């Protein structure tokens, strides 16, 4: 028996079922490519409903026919849809191929993000130089756990050869745990071919689950050494790292 699919204003709907709506986290992703929310919603519906009239796309998720018609005109103007008069001269709309229509927009946004990334790096260097000049200190001083955490992650992300770290055992709260650091950046670095080398105090192995976690990281390709005690002052932050980028 063939399963029939009915169309509603809210999206494709299996007979007797509920509308299939886009995931909430993805509902407005196309707005990142420059589409307005209504244009995004109308285009998504049009992808599943070729040769539709504006009235067929109007509904709770898109609004009245007049607004849908305006959104369709914008989509046609931007090359995301085409319009063809049929019979009674009412325009029927068809979505353009997402790969052909959205691909150039995606590449444009990607290039813009690369330029923004370069600008952020330049501004960071200028900020670091200005702060050092203003304070008269040869090093940059960071205050607050959030700022230190961001800098540690940024330093590692900029590495091209290796990241070396020492992980002492401390009773106070660390700005970033070695588990969080692994989840946020180390896995990405290893996929890029950056070597991860760590020295861990033996006392860590006495904590439940830590030995198994370290063994897992080693199996993934990290170089981990265990020592009785690390030569770090008690006043030093609980994790220090050096980054090789050349």
């Amino acid at each position: 028996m063939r399963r029939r699919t009915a169309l509603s204003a809210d999206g494709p709907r299996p007979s007797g079922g509920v509308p299939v709506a886009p995931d909430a986290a993805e509902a407005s992703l196309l707005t990142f490519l420059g589409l307005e929310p209504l244009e995004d919603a109308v285009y998504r519906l049009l992808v599943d409903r070729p040769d539709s009239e504006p009235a067929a796309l109007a509904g709770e998720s898109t609004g009245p026919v007049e607004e849908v018609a305006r959104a369709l005109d914008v989509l046609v103007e931007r090359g995301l849809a085409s319009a063809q008069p049929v019979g009674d001269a009412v325009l029927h709309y068809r979505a353009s191929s997402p790969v052909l229509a959205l691909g150039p927009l995606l590449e444009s946004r990607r290039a813009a993000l690369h330029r923004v990334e370069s600008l952020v790096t330049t501004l960071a260097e200028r900020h670091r130089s200005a702060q050092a000049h203003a304070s008269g200190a040869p090093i940059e001083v960071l205050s607050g756990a959030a700022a230190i955490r961001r800098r540690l992650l940024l330093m590692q992300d900029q590495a091209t050869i290796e990241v070396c770290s020492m992980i002492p055992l401390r009773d106070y709260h660390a700005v970033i745990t070695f588990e969080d650091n692994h989840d946020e950046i180390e896995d990405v670095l290893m996929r890029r071919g950056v070597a991860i080398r760590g020295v861990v105090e033996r006392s860590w192995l006495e904590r439940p689950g830590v030995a198994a976690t370290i063994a897992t990281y080693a199996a993934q390709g990290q170089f981990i050494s265990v020592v009785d005690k690390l030569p770090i002052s008690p006043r030093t932050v609980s994790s220090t790292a050096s980054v090789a980028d050349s």
Side-chain angles (χ1 to χ4, degrees), residues 13-239:
R13 172 168 40 200
S15 297
V18 296
V20 180
D23 183 88
E26 300 178 355
S28 61
L29 285 181
L30 296 184
T31 59
F32 288 106
L33 300 182
L35 276 68
E36 294 296 328
L38 178 57
E39 296 161 13
D40 182 340
V42 172
Y43 180 77
R44 288 171 182 265
L45 286 178
L46 199 60
V47 165
D48 296 316
R49 309 181 191 181
D51 301 320
S52 291
E53 300 177 14
L57 302 175
E60 183 178 347
S61 63
T62 55
V65 176
E66 295 78 10
E67 293 185 9
V68 171
R70 283 194 291 270
L72 286 167
D73 289 341
V74 174
L75 293 176
V76 171
E77 182 180 347
R78 301 187 62 177
L80 296 173
S82 59
Q84 182 70 34
V86 177
D88 54 3
V90 174
L91 291 178
H92 287 210
Y93 294 84
R94 179 183 291 264
S96 301
S97 163
V99 174
L100 298 179
L102 298 175
L105 295 177
L106 182 60
E107 287 301 320
S108 176
R109 284 295 186 272
R110 185 178 288 122
L113 284 175
H114 287 163
R115 292 194 297 271
V116 171
E117 184 179 22
S118 177
L119 174 61
V120 169
T121 301
T122 300
L123 291 175
E125 291 299 326
R126 288 165 53 185
H127 177 267
R128 186 159 38 246
S129 176
Q131 292 295 319
H133 178 75
S135 64
I139 61 174
E140 179 184 8
V141 178
L142 297 175
S143 300
I148 296 172
R149 179 189 179 100
R150 284 195 301 269
R151 178 50 55 85
L152 285 173
L153 292 173
L154 177 61
M155 288 172 58
Q156 295 174 87
D157 187 51
Q158 293 175 337
T160 58
I161 296 177
E162 66 179 7
V163 172
C164 301
S165 61
M166 293 186 292
I167 309 175
L169 184 65
R170 293 289 184 266
D171 293 329
Y172 51 80
H173 179 68
V175 296
I176 184 169
T177 66
F178 69 85
E179 295 96 341
D180 286 346
N181 194 65
H182 177 272
D183 293 340
E184 292 203 33
I185 193 67
E186 288 180 351
D187 192 43
V188 175
L189 292 176
M190 288 190 291
R191 288 200 297 269
R192 280 176 15 203
V194 177
I196 307 295
R197 305 180 188 278
V199 182
V200 182
E201 282 193 354
R202 191 176 303 279
S203 299
W204 274 109
L205 303 182
E206 300 174 2
R207 298 199 169 189
V210 172
T213 299
I214 293 176
T216 299
Y217 295 168
Q220 292 173 351
Q222 292 194 26
F223 302 92
I224 300 177
S225 301
V226 179
V227 297
D228 289 332
K229 196 72 176 176
L230 284 170
I232 297 178
S233 166
R235 294 183 179 181
T236 305
V237 294
S238 60
S239 178

